Amino acid sequence: HKLNNISTQVDSCIERAEYENALISLNKLVVLDSENYSNYFRRAHCLFHLCDFKSAIINIEKAYRMQNSEELNEKCGFYHFMYAQTLYDQKLYMEAVRQFDKSIYRSPNKFPYHIRKLACVWAMGEHNSCLELINQLLLRYNDSSNLLVLRAVLYYSYGKHTKCFEDVHDTLAIDSDNVIALNLNEKLASAATHHKEQALSLHMEGKNKEALKKINLAIETNPACADFHIFRGVVYRNLHNYTAAADDFLIALNKCNHDQNNPAYWDSNKQLILTYNDFAVHCYKKKFYEEAIQLLNKGIESEKNEKGLYMNRGDCYLQLGHYDFARSDYEQALQIDGDNTLAKSRLAFVFYSKGIDSFSQSKHSVATQHFSQAVEYAPTITHFYLCRAKSRLVEGNVGG
């Protein structure tokens, strides 16, 4: 009966928020009835409201050990969390982190507990640890704009602008009005534009190696911009790094989703064709004719009305002795441009070469036809007439 009276007094004091008076009675109850978990629970409640967090934690954990329940477990986590907050406010960050860890241990699914621990680690200047914590949390909360933008800020401070860019855009996809992400996005765009302007200036001065470094920075800062890849491709081509140039133009095409309404599509496609052609010419000069043909095939596949591609591929076939293929390409170039005198002269040489081969095989009638075709395309070349005359002479002697 005495215990019940004291317990009732305690409850009345707690209802009136008279926590100190309640504690006096609770201390008596704990002595008289030490096996009742509710005495420790209520004493923890009073101590918590009197901001004696350490004593409150001791009592709530005692109650939890006596009466194992989820409610008491969560209460333990909450008390540790609030104690950690007070330590954080006092800038006692190490002690605060330990208390946050205990609160997270009790309630691992309480997102605010993790965020406050992050804030504490950030305040300590332990940015690498902070980054590790964010990465772990994102495995569980991958749609948290708060975590993503916090990681973006970290990446920006490290100078990892590509990763920052990715997190900023992921954040804005979730929360388009996120102020921090919008500010970071503006900073990145401004920095990227500045690097591109520097690269363009250096490129105009013929300093392509220096320009390459600047445009690399622009792409790192804003990897989504197709125009940056187009410009870098041009720089690579001027440095005769044709493979890297082609890769950049292909990336640019992907960046604009092969959208023919996008000017970047046509620009990158044009530059890609020029690169295939320049690379083919480079291979031709080194007598890598088959490799040059493969490159020109790619160019022609993208642009079927560029006479220069057919002319160059015809030259490669001519060097390999594939006269019929060469003839076909020169005729295609002439079909595109009927006034192409170079194509006509090349065709004349193809028929001349075929005539020489036929003549050497004693196919004089066929040789005469080829020399006549050569004359048709190049009527001012005296040598073609002489060859035809010789072929006709021999052909006449053979005929009797």
Side-chain angles (χ1 to χ4, degrees), residues 32-45:
L32 296 171
D33 188 10
S34 60
E35 299 303 316
N36 189 337
Y37 87 94
S38 70
N39 294 333
Y40 296 98
F41 175 77
R42 288 182 292 176
R43 187 160 71 172
H45 178 78

Side-chain angles (χ1 to χ4, degrees), residues 9 12 37 53 72 75 139 184-185 232 234 301 384 391:
Q9 289 174 5
S12 297
Y37 87 94
F53 296 113
L72 287 173
K75 189 69 74 173
L139 294 175
L184 278 174
N185 195 41
R232 188 170 70 176
V234 172
E301 185 179 346
F384 295 164
S391 181

Side-chain angles (χ1 to χ4, degrees), residues 60 64 69-80 103 106-107 110 113:
I60 197 65
Y64 175 71
S69 71
E70 184 58 32
E71 180 187 359
L72 287 173
N73 181 59
E74 287 195 9
K75 189 69 74 173
C76 287
F78 180 68
Y79 282 14
H80 280 294
S103 68
R106 293 289 185 182
S107 301
K110 293 282 188 180
Y113 292 3

Side-chain angles (χ1 to χ4, degrees), residues 161-171 223:
H161 292 154
T162 301
K163 290 183 177 294
C164 175
F165 178 90
E166 292 169 354
D167 278 345
V168 163
H169 280 255
D170 287 344
T171 300

